[in-house]
Amino acid sequence: ATVNLRALTSWVGIARLCAVVLSCLAFSLVASTRHFGGPYGTWCMFTWCFCFAVTLLVLLLELLELYPLLPLSWDDFTSAFSMLAALMVFTSSVVFPSTFISSPCISNQCARQAVATTASCLCFLAYAVEVALTRAKPGDISSFLSTVPGLLKVFEAYVACLIFSLLDEYNGEPGLMWCVAVYSICFIITLLIIIFTIGRCLTYISCPLEKVLVGYNFLALLMYLTATILWPLYSFRGRSRPNPCSRNCWWDKHLGVTFLTIFNLIAYLVDLVYSTRMVFV
């Protein structure tokens, strides 16, 4: 193996080094407090540890120039991971302080939690900078997942995962069950597109793939449009917000699903516009 110091000294390498240090700082400080129990704390710790480990592995593989030996598209993998890491760290940067930091923050434990939150926010910025630096320039489609439609695929799959984590009390309502089917179908197809792109499997498909993706984006947009209408209609029709509404209140979860559905609807719309321009313009 040869040593490529540019993997550490380039702007992308510096952003990755910052992400490694900041994610390590975040989970170390939270671990020192021993106060991260429950699903939200476990998710935040998993996010920081996962991003730290994978980013460190990416740096080592590029430093030693071993990544060409892997049976995958390296540019697609790093682009998809940096986008996923940015979304995961951003979510943790919002969830952790809202769940574990109380006011007034005067104890030593709270101070460490606040510093960990700051490190997490800076880590998100580091991943966002990496996404911006590695994004494909106009006309460059050598790496699909580094283009705007490719990055949107990662965003759409991640938002669908967030929707799944909030789903509650939808059995027995045909409209809600249709919405869950929409989320599931679109998530599976989008995830398969990401996996096949990273695994270099799309080249074995004989059909005009670019046009198929445009057709899929249009179909997914229509399906999410129906979900955007039906989910709030069946969720809140004749049902007011409970008082009190606890942290795991069904009403808040359904409201969160409503907003996330709208976010994915917008993402699929932008995805369709960019994909159409790339293919037909």
Side-chain angles (χ1 to χ4, degrees):
T2 59
V3 177
N4 178 20
L5 293 178
R6 182 166 174 76
L8 303 179
T9 58
S10 64
W11 287 112
V12 175
I14 293 172
R16 289 171 178 165
L17 281 174
C18 292
V20 167
V21 173
L22 292 168
S23 58
C24 180
L25 178 61
F27 75 72
S28 298
L29 286 171
V30 174
S32 68
T33 65
R34 298 183 180 180
H35 183 60
F36 53 87
Y40 296 115
T42 303
W43 162 256
C44 294
M45 286 294 285
F46 167 77
T47 294
W48 296 320
C49 294
F50 171 75
C51 294
F52 166 80
V54 177
T55 307
L56 183 61
L57 180 62
V58 168
L59 281 172
L60 289 176
L61 290 175
E62 291 205 345
L63 179 65
L64 301 177
E65 292 192 341
L66 296 175
Y67 63 89
L69 303 176
L70 300 177
L72 51 82
S73 174
W74 184 251
D75 290 337
D76 284 310
F77 170 74
T78 53
S79 297
F81 169 72
S82 59
M83 182 65 176
L84 176 63
L87 294 171
M88 293 176 66
V89 174
F90 174 77
T91 305
S92 298
S93 301
V94 175
V95 170
F96 182 78
S98 61
T99 305
F100 292 96
I101 297 181
S102 57
S103 182
C105 184
I106 56 176
S107 64
N108 179 265
Q109 173 181 287
C110 184
R112 281 180 285 177
Q113 290 173 335
V115 175
T117 301
T118 304
S120 183
C121 294
L122 293 176
C123 185
F124 159 70
L125 292 178
Y127 281 118
V129 169
E130 181 183 350
V131 171
L133 291 173
T134 57
R135 186 173 72 86
K137 304 302 184 292
D140 180 12
I141 56 175
S142 58
S143 172
F144 171 69
L145 293 181
S146 64
T147 63
V148 173
L151 295 174
L152 285 173
K153 289 288 185 292
V154 180
F155 177 84
E156 292 154 4
Y158 182 74
V159 171
C161 290
L162 294 181
I163 291 175
F164 293 144
S165 69
L166 295 176
L167 287 179
D168 187 21
E169 297 183 10
Y170 61 86
N171 291 326
E173 289 285 355
L176 297 183
M177 295 178 69
W178 162 254
C179 294
V180 175
V182 169
Y183 304 143
S184 303
I185 293 171
C186 294
F187 168 74
I188 293 172
I189 297 177
T190 302
L191 184 62
L192 287 176
I193 292 173
I194 295 172
I195 294 174
F196 286 170
T197 302
I198 294 175
R200 297 175 179 172
C201 299
L202 294 179
T203 55
Y204 298 105
I205 300 177
S206 57
C207 61
L209 188 62
E210 295 83 2
K211 296 181 180 180
V212 171
L213 290 178
V214 172
Y216 163 67
N217 289 332
F218 180 71
L219 180 61
L221 177 65
L222 294 180
M223 294 174 69
Y224 259 90
L225 181 61
T226 62
T228 303
I229 297 172
L230 293 178
W231 181 266
L233 178 65
Y234 280 88
S235 294
F236 306 116
R237 183 178 56 183
R239 306 174 71 184
S240 58
R241 188 174 189 271
N243 188 17
C245 193
S246 62
R247 178 174 295 175
N248 292 320
C249 178
W250 67 266
W251 199 94
D252 288 346
K253 289 183 177 181
H254 283 220
L255 183 63
V257 172
T258 300
F259 280 105
L260 291 173
T261 303
I262 296 173
F263 292 159
N264 247 3
L265 174 68
I266 297 173
Y268 277 108
L269 175 61
V270 177
D271 194 353
L272 176 62
V273 172
Y274 269 90
S275 299
T276 304
R277 289 181 58 187
M278 288 176 61
V279 174
F280 297 106
V281 180

